[in-house]
Amino acid sequence: MIKVENLVKAFGPKLAVNGVSFTVERGEVLGFLGPNGAGKSTTMRMITGFIPPTGGRITVGGYDMVENPIPAKRLIGYLPENAPAYTDMTVEGFLGFAAELRGLRGEAKKRAIGRAVEMCFLENVLYQSVDTLSKGYRHRTCFAQSIIHDPDILVLDEPTDGLDPNQKHEVRTLIRRMGEKKAIVFSTHILEEVDAACTRAIIIDRGQIVANGTPTELRQRSELAGAVTLRIADADAGTVGQKVRDLPVVRRSEVLDNNGAVVRVRAFPQPTVKNGDLERSLYELAVREKWRLLELKVEEGRLDEVFRSITMPDTKRRVEEGTK
Amino acid sequence: MSADSQVMSSAVAGVHTNALHNIVTIAKRELAAYFASPVAYVFIVIFLLLVGFFTFMVGGFFERGEASLASFFMWHPWLYLFLVPAVGMRLWSEERRLGTMELLLTMPVSTWQAIVGKFAASWLFLAIALGLTFPMVITVSYLGDPDLGAIFTGYLGSLLMAGAYLAIGCMTSAMTRNQVVSFIISVVVCLLLILCGWPPVTNMLVKWASPWLVDIVSGFSVMTHFESFQRGVVDSRDLYYFLAVIGFSLFTTGVIIRSHRAG
Ligand SMILES: Nc1ncnc2c1ncn2[C@@H]1O[C@H](COP(=O)(O)OP(=O)(O)O)[C@@H](O)[C@H]1O
Ligand SMILES: [Mg+2]
């Protein structure tokens, strides 16, 4: 439903978005991850037709956003960054305005407002002026505006920004539920949201896509993925570390903590080791040494580590400058 | 992909969308925004007080001894100079400041529909303020036997002039998110449009430049074109002048907005 090909946006000499391509189909929730200033909002502004791309193509539901913007925009619901809303209107008036511009009138308009208000829990503030709303309510008001016409495509720029933990949870649940029937793109810099709501995630850094996959696939890119953590009671940390390191399947081991009674050790596999071999060897070692094994855990990998290792700004920039 | 778009076009088939509906929706919102704040009422009161003050105290309405609204209309170019930019300054700067411009322009409306809708609302607001000066007409009709035709064309010219100033304000408000800056620029532009045809200035210019050049310069002035409306004459050239200023300014507004979006 959304097809982005080789998208480029230059602000003066600066490339805010540089050759981004991806597609989103119905039933997909695409998480757009990246540090601040990576180009997430700029990409979304181009997809929704607010700013024209410097280069590349955007197709929304078969319509080219540059050549045929009106039918393309009709298919999209958009929550811009910082959830702007007309401060001089009531929540009801604001949603009514959005509904009218979406071509909804009379009964259809009333029903649409009712639905959006219910989904975003706005009943209590329906007749309140937008400028007196708390940040969370204002955010949800703007969110309600984006779903007022039950669009096939939703573009949400940091939809959970400024919400409290309960509201964040509600919004993620809502996104996941709506994602079953729609194509959704949402941006965030909160990594838990990827697990909580996405079917797929893209990591973008300095205008370029640096990773693209399901949350599980991304996690496997973590150094931690495949490592095994052991918890052993009544053992000497030095000996345990040494014996673990001496196994041929282990590339490296580290003692995580050692409070006298319990030792925690992590072993990283050699790159050639097959799945399952590391855990087996470690278990056999523990049996041989008569260690009192409390826990043996295969690590899945952590998204934040993946995120940090591919978007680490300082080291990468230094490398780039060094090669110039 | 084509199956996709077919499903979707049938989904939106029951939806009403046309240019006029969009313009009216945007204009209604804008007009409601004016009256939602006390500024609108303050504006109208100030406008009426100033109109009254200039007409009766400065313009010598009674001393003239004639049943006409000449002393009323003659102040309009000057009153509008400050009041109309005050109405127009928020049009686009406010949208930019609040970020609602992003919302508005990602709706299925075109930029020109948004520009026209917002302009129409503020013009209507000015028309309401102008309409509230009707006691003037009653007064002058009660005192004598005025030329109602001239009064009507005077109002028409005044409204067109307000529209021209407002379109300029609309353009300057698209340039900046700062309303004060927008106000100042549009006052300056409107002042130029007054001065280039204001007799004291043109009389001075004649000493320096050839008459035909002075004529051309004063041809750009609102003064020159508002003048015949006050005398009860609707010259199509004057009509076109105001419509051209409005058209040009709104078109430029569109260009400015587009260039801002392009970054
Ligand atoms: N209108 C603009 N003019 C100039 N630079 C801009 C503009 N909008 C964004 N940028 C720059 O483009 C980069 C990407 O910004 P943005 O897309 O907002 O990042 P993100 O949403 O990922 O935090 C930033 O460096 C930002 O300063
Ligand atoms: Mg952003």
Side-chain angles (χ1 to χ4, degrees), chain A residues 9 50-51 73 78 86 152, chain B residues 8 95 102 105 261-262:
Chain A
K9 180 73 201 181
F50 180 58
I51 60 178
K73 285 176 182 177
Y78 179 34
Y86 290 103
D152 285 322
Chain B
M8 283 181 294
E95 294 269 353
E102 189 166 350
L105 297 180
R261 287 161 71 184

Side-chain angles (χ1 to χ4, degrees), chain A residues 135-316:
Chain A
K135 193 168 180 203
Y137 270 116
R138 212 192 58 192
H139 219 93
R140 264 143 56 188
T141 302
C142 196
F143 192 11
Q145 162 280 132
S146 73
I147 58 172
I148 195 105
H149 53 306
D150 195 14
D152 285 322
I153 297 169
L154 264 180
V155 179
L156 310 168
D157 199 349
E158 301 194 7
T160 59
D161 180 48
L163 303 183
D164 67 35
N166 289 335
Q167 296 166 336
K168 277 191 166 75
H169 177 75
E170 275 157 21
V171 167
R172 284 172 203 157
T173 313
L174 191 60
I175 290 175
R176 202 178 38 215
R177 212 177 68 221
M178 289 191 303
E180 288 162 14
K181 295 203 201 83
K182 302 181 192 299
I184 301 185
V185 185
F186 81 94
S187 75
T188 179
H189 46 244
I190 304 170
L191 291 153
E192 307 129 51
E193 280 178 359
V194 177
D195 274 320
C198 298
T199 58
R200 198 152 57 83
I202 281 178
I203 301 182
I204 175 170
D205 186 30
R206 267 163 278 156
Q208 289 178 313
I209 294 182
V210 288
N212 181 352
T214 64
T216 316
E217 283 165 2
L218 289 181
R219 227 183 272 112
Q220 278 163 3
R221 296 176 56 156
S222 160
E223 210 215 340
L224 201 57
V228 174
T229 307
L230 301 174
R231 220 148 58 88
I232 300 165
D234 308 324
D236 174 55
T239 336
V240 171
Q242 191 56 51
K243 297 253 160 149
V244 168
R245 206 161 13 236
D246 287 345
L247 287 174
V249 287
V250 173
R251 175 169 56 88
R252 186 165 72 81
S253 79
E254 55 188 53
V255 177
L256 300 174
D257 53 54
N258 169 23
N259 62 4
V262 179
V263 179
R264 229 153 56 90
V265 177
R266 182 170 295 158
F268 295 89
Q270 295 283 6
T272 49
V273 168
K274 282 203 291 290
N275 260 351
D277 281 358
L278 180 63
E279 333 34 325
R280 198 171 307 119
S281 309
L282 284 166
Y283 176 72
E284 284 163 0
L285 176 70
V287 171
R288 233 174 14 245
E289 300 289 330
K290 302 206 171 55
W291 288 336
R292 300 175 62 190
L293 190 61
L294 304 178
E295 188 186 352
L296 187 152
K297 182 176 166 223
V298 182
E299 300 288 348
E300 284 188 319
R302 295 212 328 244
L303 273 177
D304 58 348
E305 198 206 343
V306 178
F307 183 80
R308 225 164 339 132
S309 68
I310 38 193
T311 62
M312 212 160 22
D314 295 334
T315 46
K316 217 168 157 185

